């Protein structure tokens, strides 16, 4: 190959280029150089590139970019970019840097490479600092004189020192993130860009340092937001999915089981709506702290969303060990939580899925644990449930029912039936309990137990409850307008209804719209609801009583009542749960006696529900129970079937 063969452009054009360009063989033979190159290197004739530069440093890679001392020109510093254009031919593109201002020029050069302003510069030889600028010294809290002759490793943490020696020195010319250590021992994040240059065979290293602490902290913040929940500091669902995926792979390799727990805090929404989001946030933090007590090597805890949490238990030995953790969690939440001036008694519902039996992907295991939780939440609060395949089918049926519930509310498929309540002293009807019925156009009547819990979970209970209240008040006023003796109509309120904002105002508006006197409306709340947040309950009941509405406690004896608060509540009546009317359990009679006597001592009336036999009735009359309702007297009936009963007894 002739010298002309390697030139891709005409000689005249080549010579006119301002950049200094040389074409050199690997053995150092100079093939061709333009006028600028000859001038820069002070070449009188083409000899060997080794007479001018340490060319061997430029042949180690396909492309090289170095600052080098010129051998024949008093160590003049020049910038050289080397590109291999043929198997053994290199193109050198060069520019000069004056020796008298190496530091400034090197800094400008590296700044140009990183396209950003630098904060400080340091030059060091064999790890010993030989020079730096004031900005570099200030960055580390030293004076320039103090920092000279220090080792560069003294300004970094151990990991950064290792990275400098093992990685950066072997691959310079690009920025690396390191951790700097100041004179006072504090640390900061820095961007370190090194550029070596050859000083007559000795490698001098020049580095530009930028303080990027703010940038790194912002990135960490973004990463935290991507993988952690800001309120509780727990990992979020994204992180949980990632960790669960890795745990599944490990369990598969080691032929192990693992368990996923989907946990819901019962009645959280009602508490949040009642006491405000700030209080709710404090409550979630308190709950997360309870969960954190269960953190150990084989558990991973995350916040799913809202009041839902996830726990992964690795290396689960069997189903019983998975259940043991659930029991421990439930036991922990039986202890009261104190926030501000409130003492809260919370409960949780837990669904459990087990790998590989209940799923082999993160999505399936979490979904099935959620389904299992939903089932137990509907049946029993403060309990756990292990996923079974039948739950999936039930869940699909639930989705269908939810759609049908919305349709029922829209198309008017709901009805109210009323069960008469009888005064045991006078024998007269003194009240009616309004009971919701769903008259499905295809399936006929659907029992309330089959859909009320679903309405609660979906929030439909608010709209359905509004309809029940208005319909019951309207019907009671209609009976009065038709000349029947006035009676009290009682309506059950769910937890979601009772804790909704503006409840008292809503009831006042319904009474105004229907024209019913407030004294003929009784609202029933459960014992467990009354004890969930005593102070709020007391305030709401007092507002209802001021309005003139009666309030009773339903299912009394099934929960946990504080007699202190019960005595303060302006309750008009206690309703004995029907489970205590089982005549085959003698201890139940003792409980019923105690409830009746306690109610009378608190100036409350007491009514027994679920009365089905004459013996039950005789027992209640003997214990001076005030009222009763049950199939022995009448089952719940539609309004038109009650007219005759009104005429006979009224």
């Amino acid at each position: 190959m002739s010298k002309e063969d390697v030139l891709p452009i005409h000689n005249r054009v080549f010579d006119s280029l301002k950049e200094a360009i040389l074409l050199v063989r690997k053995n150092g033979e100079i093939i061709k150089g333009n006028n600028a190159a000859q001038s820069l290197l002070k070449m009188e004739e083409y000899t060997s590139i080794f007479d001018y530069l340490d060319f061997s440093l430029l042949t180690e890679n396909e492309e090289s970019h170095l600052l080098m001392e010129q051998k024949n020109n008093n160590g003049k510093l020049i910038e050289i970019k080397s590109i291999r254009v043929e198997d053994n031919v290199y193109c050198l593109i060069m520019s000069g840097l004056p020796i008298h201002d190496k530091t400034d020029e090197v800094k400008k050069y590296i700044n140009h490479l990183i396209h950003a302003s630098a904060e400080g510069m340091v030059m060091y030889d064999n790890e010993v600092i030989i020079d730096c600028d004031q900005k570099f010294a200030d960055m580390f809290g030293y004076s320039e004189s103090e920092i000279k002759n220090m080792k560069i490793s003294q300004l970094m943490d151990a990991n950064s020192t290792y990275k400098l020696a093992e990685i950066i020195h072997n691959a310079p010319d690009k920025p690396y993130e390191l951790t700097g250590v100041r004179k006072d021992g504090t640390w900061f994040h820095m961007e370190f860009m090194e550029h070596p240059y050859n000083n007559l065979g000795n490698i001098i290293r020049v580095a530009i340092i930028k303080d990027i602490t703010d940038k790194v902290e912002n990135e960490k913040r973004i990463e935290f937001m991507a993988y952690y929940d800001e309120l509780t500091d727990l990992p979020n669902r994204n992180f949980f999915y990632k960790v669960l995926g890795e745990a599944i792979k490990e369990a598969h390799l080691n032929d192990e089981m693992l368990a996923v727990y989907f946990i819901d805090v019962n009645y959280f929404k009602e508490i949040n709506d009642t006491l405000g989001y700030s209080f709710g946030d404090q409550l979630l933090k308190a709950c997360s702290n309870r969960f954190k007590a269960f953190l150990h090597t084989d558990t991973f805890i995350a916040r799913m969303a809202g009041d839902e949490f996830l726990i992964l238990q690795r290396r689960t030995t069997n189903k019983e060990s998975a259940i043991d953790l659930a029991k421990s969690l439930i036991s922990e939440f039986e202890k009261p939580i104190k926030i501000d001036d409130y003492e809260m008694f919370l409960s949780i519902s837990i669904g459990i899925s087990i790998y590989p039996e209940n799923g082999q992907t993160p999505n399936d295991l979490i979904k099935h644990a959620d389904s299992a939780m939903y089932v137990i939440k509907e049946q029993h609060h403060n309990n756990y449930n292990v996923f079974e395949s039948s739950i999936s089918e039930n869940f699909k049926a639930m989705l269908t029912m939810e759609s049908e519930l919305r349709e029922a509310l829209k198309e008017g498929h709901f009805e109210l039936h009323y069960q008469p309540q009888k005064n045991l002293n006078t024998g007269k009807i003194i009240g009616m309990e309004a009971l919701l019925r769903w008259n499905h156009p295809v399936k006929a009547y659907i029992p309330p137990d089959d859909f009320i819990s679903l309405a609660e979970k979906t929030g439909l209970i608010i709209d359905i409850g509004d309809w029940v209240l208005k319909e019951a008040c309207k019907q009671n006023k209609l009976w009065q307008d038709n000349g029947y003796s006035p009676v009290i109509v009682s309506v059950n309120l769910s937890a979601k209804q009772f804790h909704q904002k503006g409840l008292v105002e809503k009831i006042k508006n319904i009474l105004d719209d229907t024209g019913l006197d407030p004294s003929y409306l009784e609202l029933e709340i459960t014992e467990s609801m009354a004890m969930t947040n005593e102070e709020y309950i007391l305030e709401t009941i007092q507002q209802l009583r001021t309005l003139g509405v009666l309030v009773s406690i339903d299912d009394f004896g099934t929960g946990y009542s504080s007699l202190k608060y019960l005595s303060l509540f302006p309750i008009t009546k206690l309703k004995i749960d029907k489970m205590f009317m089982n005549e085959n359990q003698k201890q139940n009679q003792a409980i019923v006696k105690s409830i009746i006597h306690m109610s009378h001592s608190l100036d409350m009336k007491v009514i027994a529900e679920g009365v089905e036999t004459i013996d039950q009735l005789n027992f209640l009359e003997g214990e001076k129970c005030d009222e009763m309702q049950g199939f022995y007297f009448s089952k719940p009936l539609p309004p038109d079937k009650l007219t005759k009963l009104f005429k006979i007894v009224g």
Side-chain angles (χ1 to χ4, degrees), residues 198-215:
N198 186 283
N199 183 20
L200 298 177
N202 188 37
I203 299 298
I204 302 296
R205 301 185 184 276
V206 181
I208 297 299
I209 313 296
K210 287 180 62 180
D211 187 335
I212 57 169
T213 302
D214 289 343
K215 171 178 172 287

Side-chain angles (χ1 to χ4, degrees), residues 510-526:
I510 289 175
L511 290 169
D512 291 342
D513 291 344
T514 58
L516 182 68
D517 188 285
S519 62
Y520 294 113
L521 173 63
E522 180 179 70
L523 301 176
E524 296 185 9
I525 62 173
T526 64

Side-chain angles (χ1 to χ4, degrees), residues 149-166:
N149 296 319
M150 287 179 64
K151 287 190 174 182
I152 193 74
S153 59
Q154 293 177 255
L155 304 178
M156 302 178 186
D157 68 356
N159 184 60
S160 296
T161 302
Y162 170 82
K163 194 173 182 181
L164 180 69
E166 300 297 325

Side-chain angles (χ1 to χ4, degrees), residues 136-148:
F136 180 87
D138 291 344
M139 195 182 302
F140 288 88
Y142 293 94
S143 66
E144 287 188 63
S145 59
E146 285 179 315
I147 212 165
K148 287 179 181 178

Side-chain angles (χ1 to χ4, degrees), residues 364 367-368 371-372 374-375 387-404 443 454:
D364 284 346
K367 178 179 67 175
H368 291 160
S371 299
Y374 173 81
V375 171
F387 177 80
E388 297 175 356
S389 58
S390 60
I391 291 177
S392 291
E393 295 303 318
N394 293 337
F395 196 74
K396 291 177 184 176
M398 181 206 70
L399 294 177
T400 301
M401 181 174 284
E402 180 183 349
S403 177
E404 292 178 339
K443 303 173 185 176
L454 176 60

Side-chain angles (χ1 to χ4, degrees), residues 99-164:
I99 189 65
H100 65 273
D101 200 10
K102 289 182 183 178
T103 300
D104 287 345
E105 290 297 333
V106 167
K107 188 170 179 178
K108 289 178 183 178
Y109 164 72
I110 297 180
N111 280 343
H112 172 71
L113 291 180
I114 62 176
H115 302 289
S117 60
E119 292 195 27
M121 192 201 74
V122 62
M123 300 178 70
Y124 62 98
D125 178 14
N126 195 25
E127 307 300 329
V128 177
I129 297 172
I130 57 179
D131 199 3
C132 71
D133 64 5
Q134 186 62 51
K135 286 185 179 179
F136 180 87
D138 291 344
M139 195 182 302
F140 288 88
Y142 293 94
S143 66
E144 287 188 63
S145 59
E146 285 179 315
I147 212 165
K148 287 179 181 178
N149 296 319
M150 287 179 64
K151 287 190 174 182
I152 193 74
S153 59
Q154 293 177 255
L155 304 178
M156 302 178 186
D157 68 356
N159 184 60
S160 296
T161 302
Y162 170 82
K163 194 173 182 181
L164 180 69

Side-chain angles (χ1 to χ4, degrees), residues 241-396:
Y241 268 84
K242 183 175 182 291
V243 171
L244 178 56
E246 294 168 352
I248 289 172
K249 292 177 183 177
E250 182 182 350
H252 175 72
L253 289 173
N254 299 327
D255 195 24
E256 294 174 338
M257 298 169 61
L258 61 81
V260 172
Y261 302 77
F262 198 107
I263 305 169
D264 181 88
V265 180
N266 299 319
Y267 297 122
F268 174 77
K269 186 178 186 303
E270 290 79 9
I271 295 171
N272 204 42
D273 290 345
T274 302
L275 298 177
Y277 293 108
S278 177
F279 187 92
D281 286 348
Q282 293 183 67
L283 187 57
L284 286 174
K285 289 179 183 178
C287 290
S288 70
N289 289 333
R290 289 276 172 100
F291 289 125
K292 288 175 184 176
F294 291 86
L295 271 174
H296 55 79
T297 306
D298 289 333
T299 57
F300 186 78
I301 302 171
R303 182 185 177 196
M304 178 69 173
D307 61 339
E308 296 172 337
F309 295 83
L310 293 164
I311 295 181
L312 162 65
Q313 183 188 56
R314 301 181 184 87
R315 286 177 275 280
T316 304
T317 54
N318 50 45
K319 186 179 291 187
E320 287 67 32
S321 68
I323 290 173
D324 287 343
L325 176 57
K327 289 179 178 178
S328 298
L329 288 163
I330 290 170
S331 177
E332 182 67 21
F333 273 82
E334 288 175 348
K335 304 171 187 176
I337 292 177
K338 291 184 179 180
I339 298 176
D340 297 336
D341 296 329
Y342 294 92
E343 186 173 82
M344 311 293 295
F345 285 90
L346 295 179
S347 63
I348 56 177
S349 298
I350 305 175
I352 307 170
S353 64
I354 297 174
Y355 170 89
E357 180 182 347
N358 302 140
Q360 299 186 23
T361 67
N363 189 61
D364 284 346
L365 287 169
I366 293 172
K367 178 179 67 175
H368 291 160
D370 184 17
S371 299
M373 183 280 296
Y374 173 81
V375 171
I376 202 64
K377 185 177 177 71
E378 298 304 302
Q379 297 173 356
H380 309 283
H381 290 308
N382 212 35
N383 211 333
Y384 65 87
N385 187 35
V386 181
F387 177 80
E388 297 175 356
S389 58
S390 60
I391 291 177
S392 291
E393 295 303 318
N394 293 337
F395 196 74
K396 291 177 184 176

